[in-house]
Amino acid sequence: MSDAALPPDSAAAPAATPASEPITPAQRDDLRRQGILLTSIEELYNWGRSHSVWPLNFGLACCAIEMIAASMARFDIARFGSEVFRPSPRQADLLIVSGTVTKKMAPQVIRLWNQMPEPKYCIAMGACAISGGPFKQGYNVLKGIDRFIPVDIFIPGCPPRPEALLHGLVQLQAKIRGQPLTGPDAPRHLRSDVECNCPIPEFGAHDLVPTQNPTVWQPPQPIVRPDKA
Amino acid sequence: MSAPDSSFLAPPAGSQVRAVHDEFHGDLLEVSMGPHHPSTHGVFRMIVTLDGETIVKLKPVFGYLHRNHEKLGENTSYLASMPYTDRLDYLNSMTNNWAYALAVERLAGLAVPARAEYLRVILAELTRLLNHSCLAGFLLQDCGCSGTPLMYAFREREKILDLFESLSGSRMMCNFQRFGGCRVDPSADWLAGVQQLTDGYGAFLDEFEALLTGNEIFMARTQGVGRLAAPLAISAGVTGPVLRASGVAHDLRKVDGYGAYPQFDFRVPLGDHGDTYDRYMVRILEMRESIQILRQALARLPDGPIMDPKAKLRGFRPKAGEAYGRIEGPKGEIGFYLISDGSPNPYRYRVRPPSFINLTILEDLCLGHTVADAVIILGSVDIVLGEVDR
Amino acid sequence: METVEQIRDRLLARFPGATVEVRSNPSPSGQHSLLLGAATAREIAQFLRDDPALRLDQCSNVTGVDWPEKEVVETTKTTVPDPAGGPAKVVEQKSRRLEPGCLEVVYHLYSIALRHGPLVLRLRTGNRTDQVTLPSLTPVWRACEFQEREVFDLFGVRFEGHPDLRRILMWDGFQDHPMRRDYVEPDDYEWEPTPHGAVLAKAKRHYPAPAPAAKP
């Protein structure tokens, strides 16, 4: 790589770093361009994790077909290290909620989430998994899977195109790479003060009991536009 | 057919349970397959009772994707239900649209121009190609051939979806048919694309069949597995390729002669044995016939309008009455039953889902077979859960 | 196929005492139906399946329809002669009566052997609360097995003689019949991100009362 491709201040930047201060990501990238690989345990760990996210082989509705299409030849999810669709939740890192979650199905989805080992991530794929989507007014439709389990990435669309799923996967990888391993923002699997399991609702006489998991979801305050207040 | 025989009407003998449990036989084992199971094509669940590895009882459990299609249809206007029909059988949105449009046209007495009828035939046959290739891929996946056939099928599916997308704006949820016609008139480029796809599809089928049809393992897995007798199939309301694989010549394209189908020359493939292999073979042969229909439709596509000038999309209020319209979808007879009370919303909106009713015979097919066979029998019945549970 | 009236006449001749009425359908589809009494419905269905002229061997579609009680206002006009010998007066009298509701099950029959159809059968329950039992036609057509279960689940019609009458789409402990017109769905519209119409109105019931606007 020629020096002309580097940003103008790149040559001066590494030299200006005192040995006692941590190296910044920009400086690390600059060093990489010079052929020097410097890394931290945190970066190496997250880099490894983010490029082999194994999804659960779990289709719910229409979006599942697009999820299959994303793993087929044209879209080829293998480019992102996620082609290994595992049939068992015990072997999966990523739950792609691909489609409408009905109230009859919700306990099973949550049970699958609980059976997945940490670190685990959840993508709500499509309008139905986000909010109920076009079927929101149905009596048997859960109005968003985020009422029961924590969701990392929301992919809108009905159904989202396979490209959108790939984009969501890339966003998830960026999120994993940005997770610090220590401190209050550490992921769930490295902390002992966070409950990883979500309570599984029961079938009631008219609805699920309870209808939501208040530790992960609270109804947001409505947005009031200043001109309509 | 001979005189009606009522011996098949009794529910299957699920109680083929040995009364004696000797020391060499363990107890019966009840296995719940699904709703999360890689081979149940979605969120279908079967509770299987096993004697060793042999199925002695199988109870399907539905409703894990019951998203209240009919209730929503009664709370929205006639036109607003059209996008919901896309999501019934989400592989075949075009034929769902057509069935619904046909029922409403019967209800309101709308006529469809000739060009729109031809377009509907073209789109329905493309949908049939898409569905049957995907089904063959999924069936092979269920047999344990993971990857290759499904990859090939999805490669062809993407080509068809490109055509759907350039015509309707959406890959899967096309929302294309309207009451009294179609939404968009295709360009000459689009028709040339369909022609190109039609010309190339035969070569794909040849390649596919060279891999599968004479394959010894595939034949060993599927021949004689899950036999369906014709009288039982008729009584259980089974339709589509599953019925024809049992040797019953019943294709609504010929029987009802709806749309422009009477103007085309095509054959209806029938099976001899009604087993899983026949169900696969009937679909492959149907794809070959679909290519013939597509060739004829493209060659003779008439000019003219694509909408009935009397048809009114906004403020559509059919007079009070009821109608049942049905077409031959790729999975069987898909019908819509509508009751109008003169208001903008249907009073009753009912979908006759072919794959739901085809599942009536699942237990009969699986009894006496192993669990691994139950998986491919289910794959050969070809269900889509969006339609089973609605 | 024979017309619905011809079939009715044949049925009445074959089953004296049975209730068979023709329900005409005013829509252009022209699919008229036969309303059967519950007592003889299964024998009639058997006859329709086995009769050599009809051979209705396929029961394509089974569904329920809910007809709730509704108030009908009838206007009767009576002419009252004027005792003084003038022109007669027309007196309008409005009477209200409550039309009883019922649950209806509709069967669409086709013949695969003879390639005709549909013949539409309708069965009606006595009311919508306690007299909701109808004979099951599953012994005649296996196709009714799951569809009658669905009608039982969503409408609450109990089919007598059905081999396995359980809920099919909703879970077993569910108590309502959601396709009935008076079903009240659970109120879980706590939050509606895209405000529109009826859904927003339901969501707003959960919103806290707006704080009084601070005056500058």
Side-chain angles (χ1 to χ4, degrees), chain A residues 19 28 58 67 91 133 153 158 161 175 186 228:
Chain A
R28 199 182 301 131
F58 173 55
M67 186 174 82
Q91 303 164 349
I153 301 288
C158 189
R161 298 176 59 91
K175 179 172 179 168
K228 294 277 178 76

Side-chain angles (χ1 to χ4, degrees), chain B residues 209-223 277:
Chain B
E209 282 208 81
L211 279 174
L212 303 175
T213 301
N215 186 306
E216 205 167 320
I217 303 172
F218 182 59
M219 284 158 76
R221 280 301 302 280
T222 53
Q223 285 186 345
Y277 188 76

Side-chain angles (χ1 to χ4, degrees), chain A residues 66 74 100 102 104 134 161, chain B residues 62 64 67 84 165 171:
Chain A
E66 289 295 59
R74 183 184 284 190
T100 319
T102 59
K104 191 167 179 180
R161 298 176 59 91
Chain B
F62 305 93
Y64 292 101
R67 40 191 186 183
Y84 284 106
E165 188 181 10
R171 281 159 54 87

Side-chain angles (χ1 to χ4, degrees), chain B residues 124-171:
Chain B
E125 294 309 318
L126 284 176
T127 307
R128 204 176 308 277
L129 290 179
L130 186 159
N131 179 71
H132 287 355
S133 352
C134 286
L135 175 272
F138 282 124
L139 176 62
L140 267 292
Q141 181 102 341
D142 290 343
C143 287
C145 177
S146 38
T148 314
L150 192 59
M151 289 263 186
Y152 278 35
F154 266 68
R155 185 188 67 197
E156 299 304 311
R157 175 181 181 263
E158 292 293 341
K159 291 179 191 167
I160 299 176
L161 289 191
D162 283 349
L163 290 171
F164 284 177
E165 188 181 10
S166 65
L167 184 65
S168 73
S170 176
R171 281 159 54 87

